[in-house]
Amino acid sequence: MSAAIEQRNQDATVYVGNLDEKVTDELIWELFLQCGPVSNVHLPKDKVTGLHQAYGFVEFRYEHDSDYAMKIMNMIKLYGKTIKVNKASQNVKMLDIGANIFIGNLDESVDEKLLYDTFSAFGGITNTPKVMRDPETGVSKAFGFVNFDSFEASDLAIQCMNGQFLANKQIVVQYAYKKESQGERHGSQAERLLAA
């Protein structure tokens, strides 16, 4: 198997994450075939249970098909779970530079896909947007977070979207509070200097 991985064209391969246990290699093949000719599908299996480990890789024949797959397939729901699709050659743990924004007063119909579709217009998003939900009911708590790959993108998103309407509710968009500090927001001059 490692020899097959070595020969894989990384530039034409996408990572697919957050897969439900019911997902099979065949289903992924058929789904991603909608984006272009597929060369290989690999869902790493647990050696003990034989089940896949909730992620996998899809190799296309052509690099442009993998780019298309990222645009089309990222954030779709498969068996009720939002899948994540990005370049396999990308460093999966991207550096968090601090361009993290808070979006408040969200309508309960707003999901991660709508946040992604709305805010990706301002620049690259490093992680799947997060809508905070009640752990028991799954109902939205009316706020969420988006992490950008640059302060230019997060500044533009705040400038353009704060006070705008999303799903018929006026939203609040501002820098998120840092987890480890009391009352300090992301977007500080120090973070900007470190990211430069």
Side-chain angles (χ1 to χ4, degrees):
M1 188 57 77
S2 60
I5 292 169
E6 303 264 326
Q7 294 170 0
R8 182 184 299 149
N9 177 356
Q10 285 294 102
D11 292 329
T13 302
V14 294
Y15 162 87
V16 186
N18 199 33
L19 297 175
D20 185 89
E21 60 186 23
K22 294 190 281 292
V23 171
T24 63
D25 294 52
E26 293 78 16
L27 178 64
I28 293 295
W29 185 289
E30 288 295 328
L31 182 64
F32 281 85
L33 195 56
Q34 310 310 307
C35 299
V38 173
S39 298
N40 185 31
V41 170
H42 175 61
L43 303 182
K45 306 280 193 292
D46 183 287
K47 288 180 172 57
V48 177
T49 64
L51 300 172
H52 68 74
Q53 299 176 356
Y55 72 93
F57 300 93
V58 178
E59 181 186 357
F60 290 93
R61 280 200 210 136
Y62 310 106
E63 189 176 334
H64 61 87
D65 291 329
S66 67
D67 294 334
Y68 182 65
M70 284 189 317
K71 290 181 184 138
I72 301 301
M73 297 297 184
N74 191 35
M75 308 288 297
I76 66 162
K77 285 204 169 164
L78 201 52
Y79 290 115
K81 291 179 85 171
T82 305
I83 67 170
K84 181 172 183 164
V85 180
N86 56 29
K87 278 280 197 187
S89 57
Q90 268 183 327
N91 184 357
V92 176
K93 286 286 177 206
M94 285 191 187
L95 182 64
D96 180 4
I97 62 166
N100 307 335
I101 62 171
F102 164 89
I103 302 112
N105 200 35
L106 293 175
D107 185 82
E108 64 181 44
S109 68
V110 174
D111 62 4
E112 289 81 356
K113 173 81 170 136
L114 183 56
L115 283 184
Y116 182 86
D117 290 346
T118 303
F119 285 91
S120 62
F122 300 104
I125 293 177
T126 58
N127 295 317
T128 303
K130 187 99 179 119
V131 173
M132 303 311 289
R133 300 180 185 283
D134 181 295
E136 291 179 15
T137 64
V139 175
S140 170
K141 292 183 177 180
F143 69 94
F145 300 94
V146 175
N147 300 345
F148 287 100
D149 62 4
S150 73
F151 284 105
E152 292 80 13
S154 55
D155 288 343
L156 188 61
I158 291 169
Q159 180 186 336
C160 295
M161 293 301 294
N162 188 37
Q164 296 299 316
F165 284 81
L166 185 63
N168 298 318
K169 281 185 88 172
Q170 192 172 19
I171 60 172
V172 175
V173 182
Q174 59 194 16
Y175 276 104
Y177 285 110
K178 293 182 179 181
K179 285 180 185 170
E180 67 279 357
S181 70
Q182 295 297 321
E184 190 183 351
R185 290 187 187 275
H186 283 288
S188 69
Q189 200 58 42
E191 275 186 322
R192 291 167 188 269
L193 287 169
L194 287 170

